[in-house]
Amino acid sequence: MLAEWTTIISVLIFVVLTTVEVILSRRRAMNLYEHHDTIANIALGVITFVSKIGSKAAILAVYSSIFQLAPWKFPENSVPWFFLGLLINDLFFYWYHRLSHTTRFFWALHVAHHSSEKLNFTTSVRGNFVNNLFHAIFWIPMLLLGFPPAIVLTTDLFSYFYQSFLHTQIIPKLGPIESIMNTPSHHRVHHGSNPQYIDKNYGAVFIFWDKLFGTFEEEYEEVRYGLTKPIMTRNPFKIAFHEFWVIHRDMMARKGIAGKVKELFRKP
């Protein structure tokens, strides 16, 4: 029930903030939105949302079975363990997100999110719905560490809820908060195609993982959004799968199974 209410509230907040952003964009002549780009974002968001609902029961069942294998188990309704779970979730997200930028197969799942040359609240829902499956697999170690499925799913839900509001240009730097939390400024860097911004700021809720592992970059110069090689399409399915077609072409050009596998998992 909590997850359902959180989803409803998230959608309402998303609609309100998007409306406010559109109004401010027009009043300030910021040109944050482009009609066809926004439609593509929302279409991909709806497909992802529906796929998450469809796979929720299966993921919960698998998580529950795996959780039984944990040698010890944390209490499900404990606030301290929830916050510890949130911290661990954030660490796992950092490495999954980093893998999504440094391994070609996972980049193909993630690239849709970076393909827009605009950054606004609707960009937050632009993604590849197939990524849901692999995302769920990477959180299995949390279950084996003793975190109940409810904590794993709730902390992950909170993480994505938080990240939704990082995709904006109307919020400036936030002072001392910038040193600990991921902020719109830090995430603008992450979406930048400027050479110094590429593959930086992978964190979800917190930014100190990037500082710890050497992937942090401050927002200094104006950010150029999108890919280094624009895909030039507004078709949601081409946006979601275009990199897989390129990978298939490159794999077919390589000889031998080893060469094909290397092509699949090399750096993008």
Side-chain angles (χ1 to χ4, degrees):
M1 181 61 71
L2 176 61
E4 284 73 11
W5 275 107
T6 302
T7 300
I8 293 171
I9 293 171
S10 299
V11 170
L12 291 175
I13 293 176
F14 173 81
V15 171
V16 171
L17 289 181
T18 299
T19 302
V20 170
E21 190 179 50
V22 168
I23 294 172
L24 290 177
S25 174
R26 291 178 177 177
R27 287 184 177 179
R28 299 175 182 178
M30 297 177 70
N31 192 30
L32 300 180
Y33 284 82
E34 192 277 326
H35 179 67
H36 296 290
D37 181 78
T38 302
I39 291 176
N41 292 348
I42 294 174
L44 286 165
V46 169
I47 295 171
T48 299
F49 180 75
V50 172
S51 70
K52 282 185 175 181
I53 293 176
S55 62
K56 180 180 176 181
I59 290 174
L60 182 58
V62 172
Y63 274 13
S64 298
S65 297
I66 294 174
F67 177 61
Q68 300 307 315
L69 303 175
W72 60 81
K73 298 175 176 61
F74 297 130
E76 183 172 315
N77 298 316
S78 171
V79 173
W81 292 122
F82 172 84
F83 282 105
L84 178 61
L86 181 62
L87 187 66
I88 299 299
N89 176 284
D90 209 62
L91 177 61
F92 277 40
F93 180 91
Y94 171 88
W95 284 108
Y96 178 67
H97 197 182
R98 185 167 177 171
L99 181 68
S100 297
H101 280 254
T102 56
T103 303
R104 197 176 187 192
F105 173 77
F106 290 102
W107 172 242
L109 292 169
H110 185 58
V111 65
H113 185 63
H114 285 266
S115 59
S116 175
E117 295 181 15
K118 301 289 184 180
L119 185 76
N120 53 60
F121 284 127
T122 67
T123 312
S124 67
V125 298
R126 181 186 182 106
N128 187 333
F129 54 91
V130 179
N131 200 23
N132 294 339
L133 173 61
F134 294 94
H135 177 91
I137 292 172
F138 269 76
W139 267 247
I140 287 176
M142 279 192 70
L143 299 162
L144 297 176
L145 287 172
F147 290 98
I151 288 183
V152 175
L153 293 172
T154 304
T155 55
D156 197 43
L157 182 64
F158 176 84
S159 174
Y160 271 86
F161 177 78
Y162 180 87
Q163 290 178 76
S164 297
F165 309 114
L166 300 178
H167 297 78
T168 183
Q169 299 179 59
I170 64 174
I171 299 176
K173 291 189 176 184
L174 300 174
I177 295 176
E178 301 276 333
S179 63
I180 299 175
M181 307 297 293
N182 196 10
T183 64
S185 175
H186 294 327
H187 204 63
R188 287 193 288 269
V189 166
H190 179 70
H191 275 265
S193 60
N194 314 48
Q196 72 273 29
Y197 290 161
I198 293 175
D199 295 341
K200 300 294 183 181
N201 299 0
Y202 294 117
V205 178
F206 303 107
I207 200 62
F208 46 68
W209 304 120
D210 288 280
K211 295 182 178 181
L212 178 63
F213 297 119
T215 53
F216 175 73
E217 184 65 39
E218 191 80 30
E219 181 185 26
Y220 287 115
E221 69 176 49
E222 183 177 355
V223 182
R224 297 194 305 272
Y225 300 105
L227 304 175
T228 54
K229 296 181 180 179
I231 59 174
M232 307 301 292
T233 181
R234 297 289 188 265
N235 183 307
F237 289 97
K238 288 183 179 180
I239 292 172
F241 296 108
H242 72 275
E243 184 64 16
F244 282 105
W245 304 126
V246 178
I247 290 176
H248 177 265
R249 179 199 66 194
D250 293 346
M251 288 179 68
M252 292 300 99
R254 296 290 294 266
K255 295 182 179 179
I257 295 177
K260 295 180 188 300
V261 171
K262 185 177 180 180
E263 192 66 44
L264 180 62
F265 291 103
R266 69 171 174 83
K267 188 174 181 178

